[in-house]
Amino acid sequence: LGRSQKRCFSQAMASASSGNLRMALDVQLQEIKNQGTYKNERIITSPQSSVVSIKGTDHKVLNFCANNYLGLANHPEVVQAAKDTIDDHGFGLASVRFICGTQDIHKELEETIAKFHDMDDAILYPSCFDANAGLFEAILGKDDAVISDELNHASIIDGIRLCKAGRFRYKHMDMTHLEECLVQTQDRNIRLIVTDGVFSMDGDVAPLKDICNLAEKYDAHVFIDECHATGFFGATGRGTIEHCDVHGRVAIINSTLGKALGGATGGYTTGYQEVVDILRQRSRPYLFSNTVAPSVVGASLKVFEMLQDGNAGLVDKVRANTHVFRNRLTEAGFELRGDYDHPIAPVMLGDARLAAEFAQEMLSRDIYVVGFSYPVVPMGLARIRTQMSAAHTMEDIDRATDAFIEVGKKLGVI
């Protein structure tokens, strides 16, 4: 074939491949729509808060589906700290940390995080997804074992897939099965038990005291992901470790700056000094991703300052809101999952289409919630996952529960 003929042939093959890919994906998308699990994104036209504006509506709605547990996503002090940091330290650093992407405020935030969790040191990542993706491969080898709860977050699952350690999975919060895995792996060098502190879809809390007891019995280490606990869960917001009273018994914590702690972006690992040091040398998301933006770092420092300066009232507020919401809906006949103290309060509906219809009915009553269904949750366990915030007033809670009861009766749920 001549050069022009080869070019035409290559273009034809590329066109055919493109067509096949598009057609294959279109079939999959149609199947998702037919199952009633297609996810449409509602567009918010206001700052994140307990009350938001949504494109297509001419008035504000109450927001009960954000991770804004402490109500700090649009707090004036946090916003001002971000603005001030841009003035002092610029917009971005255009670099990874080890080249020219580390400012004094990055080190200050890492020290603050370590102190907050009472750990040796901490290391920042662009997100906690990156922190989970970069941890296991860096610290575990082929002679080690990672033992993971079957319902751990997707980022943990993906991170474990990247490491060469033996992989073992125990049934959700099943301590008998966890012990069996520990017995099975006694010939391994290092064994790391891996669990979410709080599981985001159900709001249930890992039995950390039992997990730590087993870890100590079998000479293993414990890792927890605290994304849905840091800053607001436990008596002073120190998370699941505080809630379960296992201070000093957990080796490694991963968590986020993108939920309760201002809600922007950024994640971190905190733990043993040696863990943090090796992550700075080997963790690929840390080595090959841009540093966290200065504005996020400055705002996050302000959040930790607020938590240290007696803003624990926010922790009490979100817990009180949670109790009122859970009590009222349970008394009305709804099935709720999760820990009584935790602001993730899933309202179980079962059917995916029912969950989508329920969420739409709630929006028509100016309550913004989202239906969760397969594959985000197991088939047949669709629900409305509500999340309480310290920014919600008691009037907000009453409006939301009134709407739930009204819609629940209309759709035959209660």
Side-chain angles (χ1 to χ4, degrees), residues 268-281:
Y268 58 84
T269 296
T270 186
Y272 299 148
Q273 187 66 59
E274 296 81 1
V275 169
V276 173
D277 289 348
I278 204 72
L279 291 176
R280 293 195 195 279
Q281 304 304 312

Side-chain angles (χ1 to χ4, degrees), residues 49-90:
S49 183
S50 59
V51 180
V52 295
S53 298
I54 296 178
K55 187 176 181 179
T57 62
D58 57 2
H59 52 279
K60 293 182 179 294
V61 299
L62 282 176
N63 186 1
F64 277 85
C65 55
N67 298 316
N68 187 25
Y69 298 110
L70 293 176
L72 299 179
N74 194 40
H75 192 284
E77 291 185 43
V78 177
V79 172
Q80 189 60 50
K83 292 178 180 178
D84 292 344
T85 309
I86 288 179
D87 291 338
D88 295 337
H89 287 76

Side-chain angles (χ1 to χ4, degrees), residues 174-192:
D174 186 330
M175 296 300 96
T176 300
H177 194 206
L178 172 58
E179 184 164 18
E180 291 173 3
C181 292
L182 287 164
V183 170
Q184 183 182 353
T185 57
Q186 288 186 94
D187 61 333
R188 300 284 179 153
N189 183 20
I190 298 167
R191 289 176 294 168
L192 186 64

Side-chain angles (χ1 to χ4, degrees), residues 315-349:
V315 176
D316 297 334
K317 179 71 181 303
V318 70
R319 187 183 303 114
N321 287 346
T322 297
H323 290 169
V324 171
F325 183 88
R326 286 182 171 276
N327 288 343
R328 184 134 189 247
L329 287 200
T330 301
E331 290 166 3
F334 286 99
E335 177 193 350
L336 273 68
R337 287 195 172 186
D339 189 274
Y340 181 66
D341 287 334
H342 200 277
I344 293 176
V347 182
M348 302 305 295
L349 298 173

